[in-house]
Amino acid sequence: DAKTTQPTSMDCAEGRAANLPCNHSTISGNEYVYWYRQIHSQGPQYIIHGLKNNETNEMASLIITEDRKSSTLILPHATLRDTAVYYCIVLTQGGSEKLVFGKGMKLTVNP
Amino acid sequence: ETGVTQSPTHLIKTRGQQVTLRCSSQSGHNTVSWYQQALGQGPQFIFQYYREEENGRGNFPPRFSGLQFPNYSSELNVNALELDDSALYLCASSLEGQAYEQYFGPGTRLTVT
């Protein structure tokens, strides 16, 4: 079972920041937070991951709370192409890593 | 650099038949994972292959089986197809020891009638 909870859906205006929340209250000390997204009719795409420090890459920023029980994925300037289902996943690195996807959250970026 | 490719794109089979789906991993990736995605759901892990051996399996019956070849490409075989097997089947490849960062193919849409 997925260890995370996300809202079912969210809307965002094009050009604005999209802040996507995720709760993972049962996360253990060696588990990382991963974000993937799935654009319609495509396979999921890796976005970013982190353990406890905030992370940023060319796609997004990941903010993890100090107690690590929740996180927020930030798309700083959302575009129409960011419309997708976003999955928040917790995972221990090493060994046979299987990604456990929940239902994710549908982000719709509106013009 | 070639991404993950899957074939065929779409497939229609009859209940009770057998099907083979194929996946070519991204260049340099030696780990392949397969997922089943029913409509409106997130992908569900079927199994993973590393160095031609099964390296982890999800909650799927034995009629779901796989192979990985020396060039790291992979096959998913499903025997005795059931209507509930209708889904998008996704293949993902990754580097050794980095299976948490997986690169997915576009999937094969299987319809069982």
Side-chain angles (χ1 to χ4, degrees):
Chain A
D1 292 337
K3 300 178 182 180
T4 64
T5 56
Q6 300 174 255
T8 302
S9 63
M10 176 180 290
D11 281 20
C12 176
E14 187 178 20
R16 305 296 294 269
N19 298 305
L20 287 64
C22 179
N23 286 321
H24 31 79
S25 58
T26 61
I27 193 170
S28 58
N30 61 348
E31 287 183 315
Y32 287 69
V33 180
Y34 284 82
W35 283 83
Y36 278 73
R37 73 180 182 183
Q38 187 172 21
I39 295 170
H40 184 61
S41 297
Q42 297 182 22
Q45 175 191 25
Y46 165 82
I47 302 173
I48 197 168
H49 74 279
L51 182 63
K52 55 183 178 180
N53 297 320
N54 298 338
E55 302 288 343
T56 296
N57 64 18
E58 64 279 4
M59 290 183 67
S61 294
L62 175 60
I63 308 297
I64 302 174
T65 58
E66 191 169 345
D67 64 7
R68 301 209 324 120
K69 293 186 177 184
S70 65
S71 60
T72 301
L73 178 74
I74 301 173
L75 308 179
H77 305 287
T79 70
L80 299 179
R81 287 174 294 182
D82 291 322
T83 293
V85 177
Y86 287 76
Y87 298 97
C88 172
I89 298 167
V90 296
L91 184 63
T92 303
Q93 290 188 12
S96 169
E97 290 104 352
K98 62 174 184 178
L99 298 176
V100 180
F101 291 86
K103 291 189 176 182
M105 188 199 79
K106 177 65 184 294
L107 172 70
T108 302
V109 180
N110 300 305
Chain B
E1 186 177 86
T2 306
V4 178
T5 60
Q6 293 185 242
S7 63
T9 305
H10 297 87
L11 198 56
I12 300 174
K13 289 286 190 177
T14 303
R15 188 171 50 185
Q17 286 186 316
Q18 177 266 343
V19 69
T20 297
L21 310 181
R22 294 178 174 82
C23 170
S24 291
S25 60
Q26 184 162 315
S27 177
H29 287 187
N30 58 10
T31 302
V32 174
S33 303
W34 285 91
Y35 295 81
Q36 180 196 65
Q37 186 172 26
L39 205 60
Q41 304 295 317
Q44 300 298 305
F45 176 75
I46 302 175
F47 43 55
Q48 183 182 91
Y49 277 82
Y50 170 64
R51 292 187 177 179
E52 302 176 53
E53 297 282 337
E54 188 177 288
N55 182 40
R57 187 179 183 94
N59 188 27
F60 281 81
R63 60 190 185 83
F64 285 78
S65 63
L67 284 173
Q68 186 181 31
F69 300 98
N71 67 352
Y72 306 135
S73 66
S74 178
E75 287 182 355
L76 165 65
N77 299 289
V78 187
N79 293 322
L81 283 167
E82 301 177 359
L83 297 179
D84 285 349
D85 295 333
S86 295
L88 180 68
Y89 288 85
L90 295 158
C91 165
S93 73
S94 53
L95 289 167
E96 177 177 351
Q98 296 183 27
Y100 47 83
E101 186 173 332
Q102 299 184 12
Y103 294 80
F104 284 79
T108 294
R109 172 71 62 186
L110 172 66
T111 301
V112 182
T113 63

